[in-house]
Amino acid sequence: MGDLSKFQRPRFARAYERMIAESERSGTAEHRQRLLAGLAGRVVEIGAGNGMNFRHYPPEVREVVAVEPEDLLRSAAERAAGGAPVPVRVVAGHGGALPVEDGGFDAAVVSLVLCSVPDQAAALAEVCRVLRPGGELRFYEHVRSRGPALGVLQDLVTPLWRVVAGGCRPNRDTARAIRESGLVIEEHTRFSHKPVPSTPALPHILGRARKPDA
């Protein structure tokens, strides 16, 4: 598992739980449902937070191994796992060193987490390691805007935003990082979404990528 002390942000975790409950009512729940539709077999979810995805997994999923480094969020995820429609096992760990075996999963799921992992390339390398050949990555992330004004604003606020928002970097080009990892993006949509009334509408991507068979 390694040392998870640098991932402990209790003040942010409490604020996150309040914010995410409001976000779910503002359309995030529907995006989660789209993200997970059609999954089957064994799934590893990276950065599971407080378990908001769990209730959306379809019955064809045999098992979810949910990895979360932050203690308070992981405890909330364990409670959420008890009401999930599929078996969910919540474990301590982080995206840069997943505590699971090589090639053991049919799918990996990341939602609103690749913005905050310390090293996107390392986390995506771990995704590639744990997926079986032909396995898929499902992703739902907010990303840097293609519009010059908003993109520059995201660049400017990122240093401060990282401090107050649990390491989140709103200016990451996550689709490019997924492609550079060796995963092949098969489908993705780009859209604006306003998670809560107090925030601006931000660009998001939602889609799937696949690990090549060979």
Side-chain angles (χ1 to χ4, degrees):
M1 170 174 73
D3 181 13
L4 299 179
S5 60
K6 67 180 179 181
F7 296 97
Q8 304 314 310
R9 301 181 178 99
R11 183 178 299 177
F12 169 76
R14 294 186 188 97
Y16 175 85
E17 288 202 80
R18 294 192 296 270
M19 182 273 291
I20 205 68
E22 187 175 5
S23 176
E24 294 300 293
R25 297 189 291 270
S26 299
T28 299
E30 287 77 9
H31 297 319
R32 295 184 193 277
Q33 192 165 9
R34 287 172 53 209
L35 172 73
L36 303 176
L39 284 177
R42 292 190 77 212
V43 178
V44 57
E45 182 175 335
I46 301 157
N50 60 342
M52 299 303 287
N53 279 336
F54 296 168
R55 65 189 178 96
H56 298 289
Y57 279 101
E60 292 78 13
V61 170
R62 186 169 75 251
E63 179 191 24
V64 177
V65 178
V67 181
E68 171 55 45
E70 211 286 325
D71 290 348
L72 290 179
L73 293 177
R74 189 170 62 254
S75 293
E78 288 168 349
R79 295 192 292 273
V86 300
V88 177
R89 176 163 55 96
V90 180
V91 300
H94 64 91
L98 297 173
V100 295
E101 71 275 20
D102 294 357
F105 293 87
D106 301 291
V109 170
V110 290
S111 61
L112 308 175
V113 67
L114 289 180
C115 61
S116 59
V117 294
D119 186 332
Q120 272 194 331
L124 289 165
E126 281 291 275
V127 168
C128 292
R129 177 182 69 81
V130 304
L131 284 177
R132 63 167 176 79
E136 63 178 322
L137 169 68
R138 298 290 184 94
F139 55 91
Y140 165 42
E141 300 286 342
H142 66 87
V143 295
R144 190 183 192 278
S145 174
R146 290 173 175 167
L150 180 54
V152 169
L153 178 60
Q154 288 174 297
D155 293 339
L156 291 172
V157 303
T158 289
L160 177 60
W161 191 250
R162 285 179 60 182
V163 175
V164 301
C168 173
R169 298 162 177 82
N171 65 340
R172 281 180 162 173
D173 186 348
T174 298
R176 183 176 68 181
I178 291 171
R179 293 188 183 97
E180 290 177 351
S181 75
L183 296 164
V184 179
I185 294 180
E186 296 184 329
E187 173 188 344
H188 86 289
T189 58
R190 189 177 179 100
F191 56 93
S192 291
H193 175 49
K194 189 172 186 176
V196 295
S198 59
T199 64
L202 296 173
H204 287 66
I205 56 173
L206 189 155
R208 66 171 185 263
R210 194 166 300 278
K211 178 179 177 178
D213 286 320

